[in-house]
Amino acid sequence: MRSHRAGNALAAFSFVLWGILPLYYQFLPQANIDELLAMRIIFSVPVMLIVIAILRRPFPSLHTIWADKRSLVATTIAAAIMCISWYAFTWAITHDQVLAASLGFFINPLFAIALGVLFLKERLSHAQSAAVVLAIAGIGYQVWHYGELPWISLIMGSFFALYGLCKKYIRYDALTSVTLEAAILAPFALCFIIAQGISGNSVALLSGLSTLFLYIGSAPVTLAPLIFFALAINRTSLTMVGLMQYIEPTLQFLLAVFLFGEVFDEVKAISFSLIWLGLFLCTLEALQGIYKNKYVHAEQSGV
């Protein structure tokens, strides 16, 4: 029971950290997104190795990693997909589009549901079916009024869901896979940063130490919630994790509207409300499932 509570607390804390992440990027307005992503990749490797050492987790040998080629290929694909998702997210929160980032994370579970049906042969419940329809209606309402798709939100939501799907095919543990993702991309990122420095076009390297440290700091600040999440995942249920994941986009939504002053007009209010309604139905269904499981367990235990 104590372990379960600790898992819930760690999961909630990880989503809070993700939710307030836009605050850090306010120090990097109009950042060079290419360099920011490259710096994050490069410095993620030493950060993750330090974390693994501190937690005293065994890191598999290169022979063990190479022996599981299916996981290695899936990890490589996951790394590329995460790059696209993080690129869109970083662009949004450094270009006054935190609401778009929030919307992307709100619709991510619905993309995950759709991918589960398409690739994992999962069946939609009535609540999930309604949520998907409501999300399509919400996005469609924005398109009808604005005349364009919310591309940043859709890219974030869909690619993060694809990243989760890839994780289903990786047999390495969570910390190992995250470290490998960065290590696979690090040589390309390092070559890019060196080329930028030689050409004299590097913002990170040529704008002073404070800017450089902010670019480097993007690695630990984005990895911290991921590490807490990895520690939580084996200590709590996936259902609880699913319910708590809405902490992140909710905090980002509140920051966008009340701190950053982004426009939340009637069109966005209706669009978000339709998506929130679908998520509310899924949440009710999940809570009902938790209650039923506890009731069945109590009956079987003779309580």
Side-chain angles (χ1 to χ4, degrees):
M1 179 64 72
R2 184 174 298 176
S3 175
H4 191 75
R5 287 176 181 173
N8 289 341
L10 286 168
F13 186 59
S14 71
F15 287 120
V16 168
L17 289 179
W18 264 314
I20 63 174
L21 198 54
L23 292 173
Y24 180 85
Y25 286 95
Q26 293 305 302
F27 295 104
L28 287 166
Q30 307 298 317
N32 184 314
I33 306 301
D34 297 325
E35 288 189 326
L36 195 56
L37 181 62
M39 285 288 190
R40 179 188 179 273
I41 291 169
I42 293 167
F43 287 94
S44 289
V45 178
V47 169
M48 288 305 301
L49 290 176
I50 291 170
V51 169
I52 290 172
I54 291 172
L55 295 176
R56 297 180 180 178
R57 298 288 181 90
F59 194 82
S61 65
L62 292 177
H63 174 75
T64 303
I65 292 171
W66 183 252
D68 191 352
K69 292 184 177 59
R70 177 185 173 184
S71 292
L72 186 58
V73 170
T75 301
T76 304
I77 296 171
I81 289 172
M82 178 52 81
C83 270
I84 298 171
S85 179
W86 269 108
Y87 191 95
F89 173 68
T90 308
W91 186 92
I93 61 180
T94 55
H95 288 76
D96 300 321
Q97 294 290 324
V98 179
L99 266 179
S102 172
L103 178 61
F105 284 118
F106 272 125
I107 61 178
N108 164 252
L110 304 176
F111 275 111
I113 289 170
L115 290 176
V117 172
L118 290 173
F119 293 97
L120 303 178
K121 308 303 180 185
E122 296 176 356
R123 291 186 177 183
L124 286 179
S125 66
H126 293 304
Q128 289 171 335
S129 299
V132 171
V133 171
L134 287 167
I136 293 171
I139 299 298
Y141 188 78
Q142 278 201 38
V143 174
W144 181 43
H145 278 272
Y146 295 149
E148 61 181 10
L149 285 166
W151 286 111
I152 292 296
S153 303
L154 291 173
I155 290 170
M156 282 179 53
S158 60
F159 275 85
F160 198 70
L162 284 169
Y163 176 75
L165 179 65
C166 282
K167 287 291 193 180
K168 294 282 189 181
Y169 300 96
I170 297 174
R171 287 186 284 264
Y172 309 134
D173 67 83
L175 294 179
T176 299
S177 64
V178 171
T179 306
L180 279 177
E181 287 167 24
I184 289 167
L185 296 174
F188 303 101
L190 186 59
C191 289
F192 172 75
I193 290 295
I194 291 172
Q196 286 287 95
I198 292 173
S199 66
N201 295 322
S202 174
V203 175
L205 299 178
L206 303 175
S207 297
L209 281 178
S210 59
T211 299
L212 176 61
F213 286 142
L214 283 170
Y215 273 74
I216 293 172
S218 65
V221 299
T222 54
L223 287 172
L226 195 62
I227 292 164
F228 281 108
F229 181 78
L231 294 174
I233 200 68
N234 292 325
R235 293 176 171 87
T236 187
S237 66
L238 288 177
T239 303
M240 287 303 299
V241 169
L243 293 175
M244 285 190 287
Q245 70 179 327
Y246 302 122
I247 294 172
E248 176 190 357
T250 299
L251 287 175
Q252 290 173 358
F253 173 83
L254 294 174
L255 287 174
V257 175
F258 296 108
L259 186 60
F260 304 144
E262 292 189 23
V263 177
F264 187 63
D265 56 21
E266 182 182 348
V267 174
K268 288 179 181 175
I270 292 174
S271 177
F272 269 79
S273 296
L274 289 168
I275 293 165
W276 286 337
L277 177 58
L279 296 176
F280 177 70
L281 294 175
C282 289
T283 302
L284 283 181
E285 183 180 64
L287 289 172
Q288 186 181 28
I290 292 174
Y291 175 78
K292 282 184 177 179
N293 288 337
K294 285 185 176 179
Y295 180 76
V296 170
H297 179 72
E299 277 197 334
Q300 290 175 345
S301 301
V303 177

